[in-house]
Amino acid sequence: MTVVVWTETGMKQGDMIWEDILRELDFAFQPILDVASGRIYGYEALLRNYDRAGFESVFALLDYAVENRALYTLDLFLRRLALQRFLQLPDARKRRLFYNLDNRLLEMPDYRQGNTHRVLEEFDLPASTMVFEISERHQFHSIERMKSMIDTYRQQGYRIALDDYGVGFSGLQLIYSVEPDIVKLDRFFIQGVDSDPKKRLFLQHVIQLSHLMGGMVVAEGVETEDEYRACVRIGCDLIQGYFVGRPLFIEDSIRTHSDSTARDLLHADRESAIPHLKPGLQMQRIEPVRPGMGFAQIVELFKRNPEFTLFPVLNEFEEPLGLLHESSLKSITYSPYGKDLLHNRDMEDFLSHHIRKCYVADLHADADEILKIFSLQDSMRSRDGILITDRGRYSGFLSSTAMLRYVYQERIESAREENPLTGLPGNRAILRFLEDAAHRLDPTIIVYLDLDNFKPFNDRYGFQKGDLALLSIGESLKHLAGGSRNIFVGHVGGDDFFLGFRRHTVRSVFREIRRLQQSFERARNSFLEPADVERDYMEAQNRYGQMQRFPLPVISAALLFFAQGRIPLTDISRLVAETKSEAKSARSGIFIRTFSGSAEIQHVGDASMADV
């Protein structure tokens, strides 16, 4: 091929006209399934027939356009073509179009903003139809410029998806900078996810992070029923892949788009697939400002609901754009020309300047994590509350007052359940942890700590020093948990403590227990008389009133690792008792048992680092 010459009006090249290339190109469309509704959420436009145009791959075509500084002009042509073909689908106006955006177009000499908006107006489609996918395939030469472009797109109503998440090296940086509406998990993490606990743990972390930012998650490349079920179970909102539907040209897609084995399965077991509303935070269902409402209608909305001073603003797909405050309306309605503006004001322009950004969180996110999001200091976002979505669609508004009320109630409830000495959660909270773990499929480790020889120590040194010993363990456990949602610590009572770990390895938990043992021994020695420390034993009365030598107090630990989750609640007391007994006689004070399903597959007696 010869060199392309770029002009303001189009692309040409010496003896080969760009029109010959463009004439060959077409799009296939792959459906993306909405887990919540069982309906098609949208379609990804995938470029096809590039080989007929003389290119080995889509990337070869795009690279060629970049080399000849024609990428933006090519991209505009492809956007128009994708929309033309998309509109031939019978359900197009109710669905989204996912379109891959090559970030290198920012470097093109003809790059301008606003052209897509004009094309959408021509097709009478709202901006919210478009979901622009960005990826790490090509390095961003300027994160700030890219962020500026995405902010502009978002202000215009487009949605932003982060594609191929987990393949590149700056995924978290992109999530932080872009705040995507949708995160698409790369096929690498989906392949075999049903049989790979490590992948499930990683994906659960990404899904939780995305939901806390009000985003949705797509599992890409789902090819089997087992992968599909695993992705639904861990919380993916959208499913894409051969199991849902293959990419098809428009003619084939029109004939087959309603067929989906995945949808049949979803309808069959919907109740087990969809998480239920978590209690605690009381949100308000405030009537929103919807697309197409005139200025007078919005004013009437405020008059009709005098108890509210703000209203959520939604797009055509029921997704929140932000908040509109009463003060913004007053600036116009109380002006000398307010009556004329009431009828003539350009609402799209008005809302674009007066919508306040607001934190968004998913309905099924953990209440405490929602509070953490709201506590972030961000002068660019409203401090009135958080917009709550259900799979991306507006569900309600959680006011700052409601969150404060929740914190107050939680503190009262927590005080009721805390152990009065250590302040750690008591048996009711421990039981809730075990009940929750019994229904999980991800690895869980539970540890029961016992303070051996505590009674003779208490008798020898008195209950005050006995309480200090228990408090030192309690403080060490609090430090270990450190506010992590994946570590739970509790006080069973007396000298018995409980730890629960999610997303941890046996080796890492073993290290933590060893640190606890060593930390306690240092604290214990400060309570003992030097002579007892030097002798490494103490003398106290036994149950018969006779003086007897006892070893110094030490921590023993019964560690039970459930490799596939599913803790057997009916057998847990027996398993713990047996393991605690073994731990007390083990030289290291730690005894480990590993279970897969209901069967024990391994146990380690005198546990050491070499054993785990």
Side-chain angles (χ1 to χ4, degrees):
M1 288 186 180
T2 54
V3 176
V4 173
V5 178
W6 172 83
T7 69
E8 289 291 341
T9 56
M11 298 172 291
K12 298 177 182 178
Q13 65 182 63
D15 57 358
M16 183 183 221
I17 302 175
W18 263 96
E19 282 75 1
D20 292 338
I21 297 175
L22 305 182
R23 190 179 298 115
E24 298 292 344
L25 301 178
D26 200 356
F27 280 96
F29 294 87
Q30 186 171 31
I32 299 173
L33 181 70
D34 183 345
V35 171
S37 65
R39 295 191 295 268
I40 295 299
Y41 178 83
Y43 297 88
E44 180 174 359
L46 299 166
L47 193 59
R48 293 291 186 263
N49 296 347
Y50 44 81
D51 51 339
R52 295 183 188 176
F55 297 92
E56 294 181 355
S57 66
V58 173
F59 307 115
L61 170 62
L62 298 178
D63 290 346
Y64 183 77
V66 170
E67 290 169 11
N68 294 279
R69 302 177 68 76
L71 179 63
Y72 184 59
T73 307
L74 171 63
D75 187 77
L76 283 179
F77 169 84
L78 294 176
R79 292 187 200 189
R80 176 182 287 276
L81 176 62
L83 283 164
Q84 285 175 335
R85 303 297 272 160
F86 170 71
L87 277 173
Q88 295 176 43
L89 290 167
D91 57 349
R93 293 190 180 275
K94 298 179 182 178
R95 307 291 175 247
R96 301 301 186 91
L97 175 62
F98 285 69
Y99 181 86
N100 290 280
L101 199 65
D102 190 319
N103 58 282
R104 293 176 296 176
L105 60 83
L106 288 172
E107 304 160 23
M108 296 297 104
D110 57 339
Y111 172 72
R112 301 288 185 275
Q113 293 180 347
N115 286 320
T116 304
H117 186 68
R118 284 188 282 274
V119 175
L120 287 168
E121 282 187 331
E122 179 184 330
F123 291 128
D124 192 26
L125 286 171
S128 50
T129 298
M130 293 292 293
V131 181
F132 285 113
E133 297 189 21
I134 62 171
S135 76
E136 302 174 75
R137 189 173 298 278
H138 301 291
Q139 184 178 0
F140 294 98
H141 294 294
S142 170
I143 288 287
E144 285 306 313
R145 191 177 179 197
M146 178 272 299
K147 188 176 183 303
S148 174
M149 177 192 72
I150 288 173
D151 287 344
T152 301
Y153 276 159
R154 187 172 277 124
Q155 288 170 8
Q156 293 173 351
Y158 305 119
R159 310 296 280 180
I160 303 298
L162 181 57
D163 195 18
D164 304 320
Y165 182 82
V167 174
F169 296 98
S170 58
L172 285 176
Q173 181 184 1
L174 281 176
I175 285 184
Y176 174 81
S177 302
V178 174
E179 297 185 41
D181 304 294
I182 297 171
V183 173
K184 301 188 76 176
L185 304 172
D186 187 77
R187 167 67 184 158
F188 169 81
F189 293 101
I190 303 304
Q191 186 175 20
V193 66
D194 52 293
S195 58
D196 190 332
K198 189 188 296 185
K199 283 185 178 179
R200 291 200 297 272
L201 291 177
F202 175 85
L203 295 183
Q204 284 172 340
H205 175 73
V206 175
I207 290 167
Q208 180 190 41
L209 178 64
S210 300
H211 285 173
L212 286 174
M213 298 178 68
M216 302 172 73
V217 176
V218 183
E220 285 191 287
V222 176
E223 296 184 356
T224 69
E225 180 178 337
D226 288 338
E227 289 174 353
Y228 163 79
R229 289 189 181 278
C231 289
V232 171
R233 192 178 294 121
I234 62 176
C236 292
D237 307 291
L238 305 169
I239 306 290
Q240 180 179 0
Y242 286 176
F243 188 68
V244 174
R246 292 174 177 271
L248 296 173
F249 289 105
I250 287 297
E251 295 76 12
D252 298 323
S253 185
I254 289 174
R255 289 194 296 269
T256 62
H257 82 283
S258 61
D259 300 327
S260 173
T261 305
R263 272 176 279 170
D264 293 339
L265 282 171
L266 187 62
H267 285 299
D269 59 0
R270 181 179 304 281
E271 287 304 313
S272 63
I274 309 299
H276 297 288
L277 174 63
K278 294 182 179 180
L281 291 170
Q282 300 298 316
M283 66 178 180
Q284 300 167 297
R285 176 69 189 189
I286 303 176
E287 185 179 352
V289 174
R290 299 181 183 278
M293 291 180 68
F295 194 74
Q297 291 174 292
I298 296 176
V299 171
E300 181 59 31
L301 182 64
F302 275 86
K303 288 182 179 178
R304 198 166 61 244
N305 300 276
E307 69 274 25
F308 300 126
T309 59
L310 54 82
F311 287 84
V313 181
L314 310 184
N315 65 16
E316 290 80 1
F317 290 88
E318 297 288 308
E319 295 165 335
L321 301 175
L323 297 173
L324 179 63
H325 281 252
E326 186 179 35
S327 57
S328 298
L329 295 181
K330 287 180 179 178
S331 65
I332 293 176
T333 55
Y334 294 163
S335 71
Y337 308 103
K339 191 172 292 185
D340 293 332
L341 290 170
L342 214 61
H343 299 286
N344 301 322
R345 183 77 176 183
D346 183 340
M347 280 310 301
E348 187 175 326
D349 177 64
F350 171 77
L351 290 175
S352 67
H353 287 87
H354 290 87
I355 292 177
R356 295 191 193 178
K357 292 180 68 176
C358 177
Y359 281 117
V360 178
D362 188 85
L363 183 67
H364 306 284
D366 182 86
D368 292 332
E369 294 300 327
I370 291 176
L371 294 174
K372 287 181 184 177
I373 288 291
F374 184 72
S375 68
L376 299 175
Q377 296 297 319
D378 188 344
S379 59
M380 300 300 292
R381 285 180 169 85
S382 170
R383 304 292 296 168
D384 298 289
I386 293 179
L387 284 166
I388 304 297
T389 59
D390 186 2
R391 304 300 196 273
R393 296 178 179 86
Y394 169 68
S395 184
F397 180 71
L398 186 61
S399 69
S400 54
T401 302
M403 283 185 274
L404 289 171
R405 188 184 302 118
Y406 171 79
V407 171
Y408 176 72
Q409 291 171 344
E410 282 291 295
R411 285 180 177 173
I412 292 177
E413 187 63 25
S414 177
R416 289 196 189 111
E417 296 192 359
E418 285 177 358
N419 182 281
L421 176 63
T422 60
L424 291 173
N427 287 320
R428 287 172 60 187
I430 294 170
L431 180 59
R432 281 198 299 272
F433 176 90
L434 290 172
E435 288 174 340
D436 179 59
H439 295 92
R440 289 178 174 269
L441 296 179
D442 49 322
T444 302
I445 300 173
I446 63 172
V447 181
Y448 276 80
L449 299 182
D450 204 352
L451 186 51
D452 299 340
N453 307 310
F454 177 67
K455 185 179 186 307
F457 169 78
N458 210 36
D459 293 341
R460 167 79 171 82
Y461 285 96
F463 71 89
Q464 288 183 327
K465 286 195 174 180
D467 285 352
L468 285 174
L470 297 177
L471 281 169
S472 72
I473 297 175
E475 290 305 309
S476 294
L477 292 179
K478 290 175 184 176
H479 178 74
L480 168 61
S484 169
R485 294 188 67 246
N486 297 319
I487 303 176
F488 172 85
V489 295
H491 192 165
V492 179
D495 57 359
D496 291 328
F497 295 85
F498 176 91
L499 296 91
F501 296 85
R502 300 191 185 103
R503 306 177 186 179
H504 283 70
T505 64
V506 173
R507 193 176 185 85
S508 67
V509 173
F510 178 86
R511 287 198 199 98
E512 295 296 349
I513 301 304
R514 289 295 298 148
R515 290 193 191 102
L516 278 172
Q517 290 176 321
Q518 294 161 3
S519 174
F520 172 73
E521 289 174 17
R522 288 193 296 270
R524 174 204 67 188
N525 289 346
S526 68
F527 306 146
L528 297 172
E529 292 181 1
D532 286 348
V533 175
E534 186 176 347
R535 290 193 300 260
D536 199 30
Y537 69 82
M538 59 187 174
E539 292 186 341
Q541 288 186 344
N542 61 23
R543 67 179 64 184
Y544 305 109
Q546 301 168 336
M547 295 301 293
Q548 179 180 331
R549 289 182 180 180
F550 291 93
L552 300 180
V554 293
I555 290 176
S556 61
L559 191 155
L560 292 86
F561 173 44
F562 297 91
Q564 297 176 345
R566 301 292 191 188
I567 292 179
L569 289 179
T570 54
D571 292 332
I572 194 66
S573 296
R574 175 182 60 81
L575 294 174
V576 168
E578 293 172 357
T579 312
K580 283 175 67 175
S581 176
E582 298 282 3
K584 287 178 181 294
S585 59
R587 185 170 50 189
S588 66
I590 302 174
F591 193 88
I592 301 172
R593 300 176 75 175
T594 300
F595 299 85
S596 178
S598 59
E600 182 171 348
I601 58 175
Q602 181 187 7
H603 69 263
V604 179
D606 187 17
S608 66
M609 286 299 291
D611 299 314
V612 294

